[in-house]
Amino acid sequence: MPARLALRPKPAAATVKLTAVTKGDLAGWLKRASAAQKRYAEAMGFKGGAGEVLALPGRDGRIERVLAGMPERESPDGSGLRFWTWAALPGKLPAGSYRLDPEPADANAANDVALAWGLGGYAFDRYKKAARKPAELVWPAKAARAAVTAAVRADGIARDLINTPAEDMGPAALAEACLETARELGMKAATIVGGDLLARNFPLIHAVGRAAATEPRLIDLSWGDPKHPKIAVIGKGVCFDTGGLDLKPEAGMKMMKKDMGGAAHALALARMIVEAELPVRLRVLIPAVENSVSGNSIRPLDVVKSRKGITVEIGNTDAEGRLILADAMAYAGEENPELMVDFATLTGAARVALGPDLPALYANDDALAHDLLNAGIVARDPMWLMPLWQGYRARMESKVADTSSISDGPFAGSVTAALFLQNFVPANCRWAHFDVFAWNPWNRPGRIEGAHLQGPRAVFAALSKLYPRA
C-alpha cells in the first residue's frame, strides 16, 4: 500500500476519534457530550461550519476527539462540497491516526470518505520533501479497500506525471512510465519511434514531433480477452508545447509541462480498468511528442495527409494536440472498437467557457453522454456536456485540403476542435471526448495547486456499469 494513501488498516496506539458535525446537528451532539467538552467548544467559538475543526482534549491533555465541520448536505451537481471538505482533513489535522466515530452508515458513504481522504493526502515530493506527513485515517469498516486504493493510486501516479517538468518527462520518459505500468499490470506494450512513424503511416504524429531533440513516438498498450468488447482509450501526450513556429507568448508557454495531461488521464483510467478486471478488451494509445522549434518544424499552411487519408492543412502550429490524436484515433478505429474515449488538454476555449473545474465533454451518443454525466455526479468527478454542432464544420473548410486543422475565426474553439477529431472516429463507434485542464490553479480545501485529474473516475464508474464483472 503506497504511503501517500494516508489510510491505515488498523488503529495506532494513539488513534483519535473523528466526528463529523454540521451547524444543524452540533447542538444535538453537545447535549450528549460532557460538560467540559461543551464548555470548551463554546469557549473556542466552534460552530460546526464547513471546514472548521476542533480538537477536544482529554483529561491527560492529549487530543481525545476531533470535531470536523461539514456542509449540511452533499452538492447535487457533483462538485463535491462535502467530499472536498473531507479531503482537506489529511492536511489540516495534526499528523497522526484518526478513526471515524460514528462509522458511515453505508458502503457508499464509507467509500466517499476514504476516497476523499486518499486524494487529499497527495503530495508531489520528487524534488522537494513534503512539509509534513498527512494525517492518517483508519479504513472505514464498510469501505471497498481495493477499489479505493486503485483509484487513489491511479490518481497519484498520474498527478506525478503531470507535475514533473518536461526536462524529466519528455516523450521517452513518458513512454517509460507507460511501459512500467504495463509491466506492473501485465499489459502488452509496444512503441513506434521516430522515422518508423512515417514508415508505418503516422504522418501527423511525426510532423508535430519531428523538430524536437527527443523523437516522437506512439505508445501502444493492450490488455484483456480479445473476445470481450473492445474499448479504446487515447491520451494526448504533448510533453511540452512551445506552440511551434506559431510560438506561444511567455505566459501561455509557462504551464505547458502539463500538456501531456491527457496521456496521464488515459493511463489512470487504464490502471483502474485493469485492476478491476473489467470484462473488456482494452487498447490504450498515447502519441508522445514535444512541439518544438527548429529548422524542420512543421509550418503554417503545410498540408499533411493523415493516417486515415484525410488531408489536413495546418492552420496554426499551436493547434498540435488534435493532429497527434487524429492519427492515434484512426489507428484505434481500425480494430472496430465499440467505444472510444479520449482525453486532451486541447483548447483554451474550453477553459474560457467552463473555467478550470469542469472538463468539456463531447459525445456522439446521447445514452453514453447521459451515463457519463450521471457517473460524474456519483464519483465526484463532474463534467459539462457540450454540443457537437455540425453547423460549424463549414468554418473548418480549406481551399487546398480536405480540412483545416482550425476554424476560420475565434468562435467556439473547443467545439470546432472536437468536430475535427470526430472526422477520425468510425461511424459505428460510440465516442466521448474530454477537453480537460488537468490543473488546479489555486490551493483549495483538499486540492493543492498543481495537477488535477478530470474525468477518469467518472468514466471508470460508467464503464463498470456498462461492462459489469460476472
Side-chain angles (χ1 to χ4, degrees):
M1 184 180 298
R4 67 159 52 106
L5 191 60
L7 290 151
R8 54 182 302 123
K10 296 180 181 179
T15 293
V16 176
K17 296 176 182 178
L18 175 62
T19 300
V21 296
T22 66
K23 286 184 177 181
D25 60 29
L26 177 61
W29 188 89
L30 290 175
K31 285 181 180 180
R32 301 187 298 273
S34 68
Q37 289 176 329
K38 182 177 180 180
R39 287 195 300 270
Y40 187 80
E42 291 173 347
M44 297 301 293
F46 181 74
K47 303 295 184 183
E52 287 188 78
V53 294
L54 178 67
L56 295 171
R59 292 183 179 181
D60 61 0
R62 297 178 181 178
I63 299 175
E64 181 179 275
R65 182 186 299 271
V66 169
L67 300 182
M70 291 285 157
E72 294 289 344
R73 60 188 63 85
E74 186 53 281
S75 46
D77 60 1
S79 57
L81 294 178
R82 180 170 284 209
F83 181 87
W84 293 111
T85 303
W86 277 112
L89 293 178
K92 180 175 288 189
L93 297 177
S97 173
Y98 298 81
R99 66 176 178 86
L100 299 176
D101 181 37
E103 287 271 352
D106 59 64
N108 289 334
N111 289 336
D112 247 17
V113 174
L115 177 62
W117 200 283
L119 297 179
Y122 173 82
F124 181 59
D125 56 6
R126 177 166 178 169
Y127 305 101
K128 182 179 181 180
K129 186 177 179 180
R132 48 157 289 177
K133 292 182 178 180
E136 293 185 316
L137 181 70
V138 177
W139 276 100
K142 295 183 179 180
R145 295 191 187 189
V148 172
T149 299
V152 172
R153 188 158 186 254
D155 181 272
I157 291 171
R159 287 164 77 181
D160 279 354
L161 296 178
I162 298 169
N163 281 323
T164 300
E167 180 71 13
D168 292 325
M169 192 49 62
L174 178 57
E176 180 53 37
C178 293
L179 296 177
E180 182 179 342
T181 292
R183 289 190 291 268
E184 178 190 344
L185 300 179
M187 305 176 76
K188 293 182 179 179
T191 56
I192 305 170
V193 182
D196 287 345
L197 289 167
L198 287 178
R200 296 184 59 178
N201 193 24
F202 297 98
L204 287 173
I205 298 175
H206 184 272
V208 171
R210 71 193 185 198
T214 303
E215 292 181 301
R217 61 208 65 211
L218 178 64
I219 305 156
D220 186 350
L221 310 180
S222 59
W223 171 88
D225 188 336
K227 296 178 182 178
H228 285 158
K230 295 177 182 177
I231 64 172
V233 178
I234 298 100
K236 173 188 168 185
V238 177
C239 295
F240 196 84
D241 180 19
T242 66
L245 291 177
D246 288 311
L247 197 68
K248 290 180 182 289
E250 177 186 356
M253 199 186 301
K254 184 175 182 180
M255 291 307 303
M256 284 300 100
K257 71 174 185 179
K258 76 173 184 66
D259 210 22
M260 42 63 66
H265 281 59
L267 203 59
L269 175 58
R271 292 190 69 95
M272 288 186 281
I273 291 170
V274 175
E275 292 198 51
E277 298 182 340
L278 295 188
V280 298
R281 175 62 172 175
L282 173 66
R283 185 91 177 275
V284 180
L285 293 172
I286 294 174
V289 304
E290 186 172 337
N291 188 22
S292 297
V293 177
S294 74
N296 67 338
S297 294
I298 191 171
R299 296 165 288 267
L301 301 189
D302 279 354
V303 175
V304 182
K305 188 176 183 179
S306 69
R307 180 179 184 85
K308 194 170 182 179
I310 298 171
T311 54
V312 179
E313 183 179 28
I314 309 303
N316 188 312
T317 63
D318 195 22
E320 82 301 328
R322 66 197 68 185
L323 301 178
I324 64 173
L325 288 172
D327 271 356
M329 291 167 67
Y331 189 38
E334 291 166 15
E335 278 199 335
N336 295 313
E338 66 176 51
L339 176 64
M340 184 183 297
V341 179
D342 77 82
F343 297 95
T345 51
L346 206 59
T347 69
R351 306 287 66 78
V352 172
L354 300 175
D357 286 0
L358 283 170
L361 166 67
Y362 295 86
N364 64 358
D365 181 272
D366 289 344
L368 175 62
H370 180 268
D371 289 344
L372 289 169
L373 290 169
N374 284 343
I377 292 173
V378 173
R380 315 297 180 220
D381 194 12
M383 62 201 72
W384 198 263
L385 182 62
M386 300 283 278
L388 284 166
W389 187 254
Q390 300 301 315
Y392 292 152
R393 283 197 176 275
R395 306 272 61 83
M396 310 275 299
E397 292 180 356
S398 165
K399 294 184 175 68
V400 299
D402 294 326
T403 184
S404 174
S405 61
I406 63 171
S407 67
D408 61 2
F411 302 116
S414 180
V415 179
T416 53
L419 289 173
F420 176 84
L421 293 180
Q422 192 177 22
N423 292 322
F424 302 90
V425 179
N428 60 346
C429 178
R430 297 205 298 167
W431 167 59
H433 160 58
F434 288 85
D435 190 340
V436 302
F437 190 46
W439 195 260
N440 176 37
W442 315 292
N443 277 320
R444 290 178 285 176
R447 289 165 286 185
I448 59 173
E449 181 181 346
H452 182 61
L453 263 62
Q454 300 173 304
R457 291 199 315 277
V459 176
F460 174 73
L463 293 178
S464 297
K465 287 192 172 183
L466 288 171
Y467 307 105
R469 291 180 61 184

